[in-house]
Amino acid sequence: MAKKIWLGILLVSIAGLLWAWLAGPQWLEEWNRESQQEQLAFQQKGAALGSSTDQQGCFEAALASFDQCQDSEYKCTVNNGILLKACWQKSLPSEGFCENVPAFAEDPSEDDKAWMKDSCFEAGINGSGCRLLMRQKQQLCSS
């Protein structure tokens, strides 16, 4: 009896691995296609927003969108980063937008990290994705 149970478990495991091996590429292709469509929508939304607002408006919209996002933190960060970049490309400059923003460096210093964390805390937004959006602000202000 125990042999039949173990044999059944082995057969189910082999069938599951076979299915994963055969269906994996199709699943990944579909996920990539959906992600690209979603990112294009965020890019278009950002460009449309940028045509009617300034840098600060873009930044506030991206932070609000990130904060309300129900997807994974990774997906929320990527999509809102795309929105922010597209928005800034079309937006007007904001007076004082870059005041007190530390200069961008490839390897952020402890002061840079503290600035990002504190800025997110002041905005009431949790998550490391917020810090990456702050990093984009740093990069924009240093260019």
Side-chain angles (χ1 to χ4, degrees):
M1 182 67 170
K3 285 184 179 182
K4 288 182 181 180
I5 292 173
W6 283 110
L7 182 61
I9 291 172
L10 179 63
L11 289 175
V12 169
S13 297
I14 290 172
L17 289 172
L18 182 63
W19 177 83
W21 179 66
L22 293 173
Q26 180 182 354
W27 171 86
L28 182 59
E29 187 176 311
E30 181 64 28
W31 184 83
N32 282 334
R33 186 175 22 263
E34 288 174 8
S35 292
Q36 288 172 345
Q37 290 171 347
E38 192 173 355
Q39 290 170 5
L40 181 60
F42 272 85
Q43 186 176 28
Q44 292 169 342
K45 181 180 174 183
L49 178 64
S51 297
S52 63
T53 192
D54 59 7
Q55 292 169 325
Q56 184 65 37
C58 290
F59 194 62
E60 290 172 2
L63 288 176
S65 178
F66 173 80
D67 194 39
Q68 297 166 3
C69 186
Q70 299 297 312
D71 285 322
S72 69
E73 187 168 359
Y74 169 78
K75 201 171 196 179
C76 294
T77 301
V78 169
N79 288 340
N80 286 292
I82 289 169
L83 179 140
L84 187 55
K85 186 174 183 179
C87 188
W88 276 339
Q89 288 175 343
K90 301 280 186 175
S91 69
L92 297 170
S94 297
E95 189 174 322
F97 181 68
C98 291
E99 286 179 13
N100 301 320
V101 175
F104 180 82
E106 285 298 322
D107 294 320
S109 68
E110 291 304 315
D111 288 341
D112 292 348
K113 292 175 185 178
W115 171 81
M116 288 182 273
K117 184 184 75 153
D118 293 343
S119 297
C120 290
F121 182 76
E122 287 173 17
I125 300 172
N126 294 321
S128 59
C130 175
R131 294 181 195 154
L132 292 173
L133 295 175
M134 292 295 171
R135 198 81 172 114
Q136 281 187 257
K137 180 178 181 177
Q138 236 185 339
Q139 195 168 26
L140 176 77
C141 290
S142 293
S143 57

